[in-house]
Amino acid sequence: MGYRKESIQGLAILGGTPAFENALHVGKPSLADRDFFLLKVNAILDRQWYTNSGPELREFEEAVASFTGVRHCISVCNGTKALEIAIRALGLTGEVIVPAFTFVATVHALYWQGIVPVFCDIERNAHQIDVEKIEKLITPRTSAILAVHLWGNACDIDALEQLAEKHKLRLVFDASHSFGATYNGRSIGRFGDAEAVSFHATKMIQTFEGGAILTNNDELANRARTMTNFGFVDYDEVSYIGTNGKLSEIHAAMGLACLKYLQPTMESYKQRYECYRDCLGGVHGLRMLPRKPGGNYQYVVFEVTHDLPNARDLLCKVLKEEGVIARRYFYPGCHNMAPYNSFPASPDVPVTDEVASKVVVLPSGPSVTNSDIETIASIIILAMQNMERIANNLKGSV
Ligand code: T4K
């Protein structure tokens, strides 16, 4: 890191930035047992069975299903595809209610299938979909609610299940952030009609790229698995439209290598979260997002509540110049991104708009040490104390 106290205080800053790949990033990949992975790579090469439901994939799916306590795990090539296939296999149509504050893949997965996303606001405390605002968005065209367990915390599953039941809607969860998290003591992955997880390189369990559909519904699982493999139910027999959503053997092997380290990985995320809380809890102008019981600690999320309206962006700029790549996830909100920003009616999502202008996600991957966190915290504290001066010095550049 290029941290220099004098430079920040003098605010002549912004020189000597380290190379991008040497900076501290939000999403460094999780630990994996490297020797175990390499042994598996050799076995895959010897076996010459590289994809199409080989032994590594089957073992990975069984391990994920057993860990989450769900009947079926259908692994796919990424989390976006997991959402798309779940949506399609459930036969969703018309409109689906989805939070405006999420990674854009959640919303794209709907629109890609010709389904209109109807944006719901989030609640203020933990940024989850605001269940109380859903009911007024339901129309005769609504087929489902697609809720997101944002930041590794479960959303209000009981209330969502009741609402879905009352209105006879399907309920799907985007659990991309939430592997390893629980809700009332039960693993995320077991709720709703289906849950979609991501095993992207930046996630708690990663397969380079990857994802899975988790469900207890046998029929849905069967359909999703068939759709993942072009719709084939037998050699030469296709029963419905499918796609190529398969995860390869080498990806599955990486997943197994990461699963071996799941407990220490989760523990290390918790430890870094607590270090941030100890260093930055109570700093004026900052609010650390609370972790809900059972949350997995994957994301370290703050809101910059400083009076200056662009304080969050100024802080990100200072951090970047000091070699810390903090992220403004999920700015500016999906409803403000194309093509959704040209929908005829703008959604009423004031909390999303406010939160999107305040959130900063700090580096918390396994390569981030306590000493890195202390340094990041020092930069942030200095920047918060000098925000007006930073704003003057950077006028026009942010
Ligand atoms: N739903 C939700 C709620 C999601 O958050 C996501 C994905 C999805 C659905 C879709 O799942 P996938 O189809 O992706 O499986 C990243 C991830 O690419 C994305 O998976 C994730 N959510 C999203 C929150 O973050 P970007 O555009 O921020 O990625 P990028 O390349 O800037 O990487 C983030 C940081 O991680 C960088 O600062 C560098 C570091 N990094 C990244 C990679 C790929 C590494 O250190 N090593 C790496 O290999 O989207």
Side-chain angles (χ1 to χ4, degrees):
M1 264 187 297
Y3 167 61
R4 287 143 296 124
K5 186 171 178 172
E6 330 70 60
S7 66
I8 289 188
Q9 282 182 324
L11 300 170
I13 49 173
L14 319 185
T17 307
F20 186 71
E21 59 279 10
N22 295 332
L24 284 170
H25 291 268
V26 166
K28 282 284 170 192
S30 287
L31 304 174
D33 185 330
R34 183 186 287 236
D35 292 337
F36 176 85
F37 173 65
L38 293 175
L39 278 174
K40 285 205 168 281
V41 170
N42 269 326
I44 292 165
L45 295 176
D46 289 343
R47 215 183 279 131
Q48 293 192 314
W49 191 275
Y50 294 159
T51 185
N52 289 10
S53 201
E56 305 298 340
L57 183 107
R58 292 198 300 273
E59 190 182 336
F60 180 60
E61 290 187 339
E62 272 164 32
V64 170
S66 143
F67 176 81
T68 51
V70 75
R71 259 213 307 278
H72 304 281
C73 165
I74 299 109
S75 49
V76 293
C77 54
N78 58 57
T80 309
K81 213 43 158 184
L83 283 165
E84 285 171 15
I85 293 172
I87 289 162
R88 191 149 197 136
L90 276 164
L92 304 189
T93 54
E95 297 171 358
V96 169
I97 297 168
V98 64
F101 193 67
T102 178
F103 191 56
V104 73
T106 319
V107 181
H108 281 344
L110 292 167
Y111 208 48
W112 195 261
Q113 308 288 325
I115 292 168
V116 177
V118 174
F119 293 112
C120 185
D121 211 357
I122 52 169
E123 45 79 21
R124 194 69 198 71
N125 187 45
H127 303 170
Q128 307 299 325
I129 190 166
D130 189 338
V131 183
E132 291 188 355
K133 293 184 181 169
I134 292 179
E135 207 152 21
K136 67 172 194 288
L137 301 173
I138 297 174
T139 73
R141 284 172 50 77
T142 309
S143 61
I145 302 166
L146 171 51
V148 183
H149 303 304
L150 206 73
W151 309 134
N153 289 316
C155 39
D156 189 348
I157 296 177
D158 286 344
L160 285 161
E161 283 181 342
Q162 278 169 25
L163 198 63
E165 172 74 26
K166 179 176 164 193
H167 292 275
K168 303 280 169 270
L169 299 176
R170 296 293 203 169
L171 180 59
V172 183
F173 291 102
D174 179 343
S176 292
H177 296 182
S178 308
F179 197 84
T182 58
Y183 178 76
N184 291 342
R186 295 167 71 209
S187 276
I188 292 299
R190 300 162 67 162
F191 299 96
D193 290 290
E195 303 211 41
V197 289
S198 165
F199 298 129
H200 180 259
T202 53
K203 297 296 189 289
M204 188 69 77
I205 287 294
Q206 59 92 13
T207 58
F208 303 109
E209 290 276 0
I213 300 148
L214 305 179
T215 181
N216 283 320
N217 179 328
D218 300 342
E219 202 188 318
L220 176 67
N222 198 23
R223 207 172 316 127
R225 195 175 284 292
T226 306
M227 283 182 168
T228 301
N229 186 28
F230 311 101
F232 277 114
V233 284
D234 204 343
Y235 282 133
D236 314 322
E237 192 187 339
V238 168
S239 59
Y240 27 66
I241 185 168
T243 183
N244 182 353
K246 290 169 289 168
L247 190 76
S248 84
E249 287 289 274
I250 206 149
H251 292 87
M254 176 51 101
L256 286 166
C258 286
L259 274 175
K260 276 178 68 113
Y261 272 129
L262 179 60
Q263 286 314 326
T265 299
M266 289 183 66
E267 191 49 44
S268 78
Y269 273 102
K270 174 170 188 257
Q271 186 270 325
R272 286 186 294 277
Y273 174 96
E274 286 171 349
C275 188
Y276 271 113
R277 189 190 56 203
D278 294 346
C279 292
L280 289 171
V283 170
H284 184 67
L286 282 183
R287 170 183 178 256
M288 188 174 192
L289 205 76
R291 171 196 164 261
K292 290 172 80 177
N296 69 6
Y297 297 98
Q298 174 161 5
Y299 289 92
V300 172
V301 183
F302 281 85
E303 287 177 19
V304 180
T305 55
H306 193 280
D307 293 341
L308 276 183
N310 63 342
R312 186 275 310 269
D313 298 347
L314 293 168
L315 179 63
C316 288
K317 174 99 178 156
V318 168
L319 284 168
K320 184 166 179 218
E321 295 301 334
E322 296 297 319
V324 180
I325 312 296
R327 298 298 293 267
R328 303 187 299 175
Y329 291 140
F330 293 105
Y331 177 81
C334 297
H335 61 301
N336 287 320
M337 293 177 180
Y340 317 109
N341 56 1
S342 58
F343 279 10
S346 337
D348 181 24
V349 290
V351 181
T352 297
D353 287 330
E354 186 200 340
V355 165
S357 70
K358 290 188 168 155
V359 159
V360 58
V361 180
L362 298 179
S364 65
S367 59
V368 177
T369 64
N370 277 3
S371 154
D372 291 332
I373 293 174
E374 283 160 16
T375 307
I376 292 170
S378 311
I379 298 169
I380 292 175
I381 290 167
L382 272 173
M384 296 306 292
Q385 288 166 347
N386 291 283
M387 201 48 90
E388 279 82 8
R389 288 166 65 195
I390 293 171
N392 279 335
N393 283 7
L394 296 181
K395 209 171 262 169
S397 75
V398 175

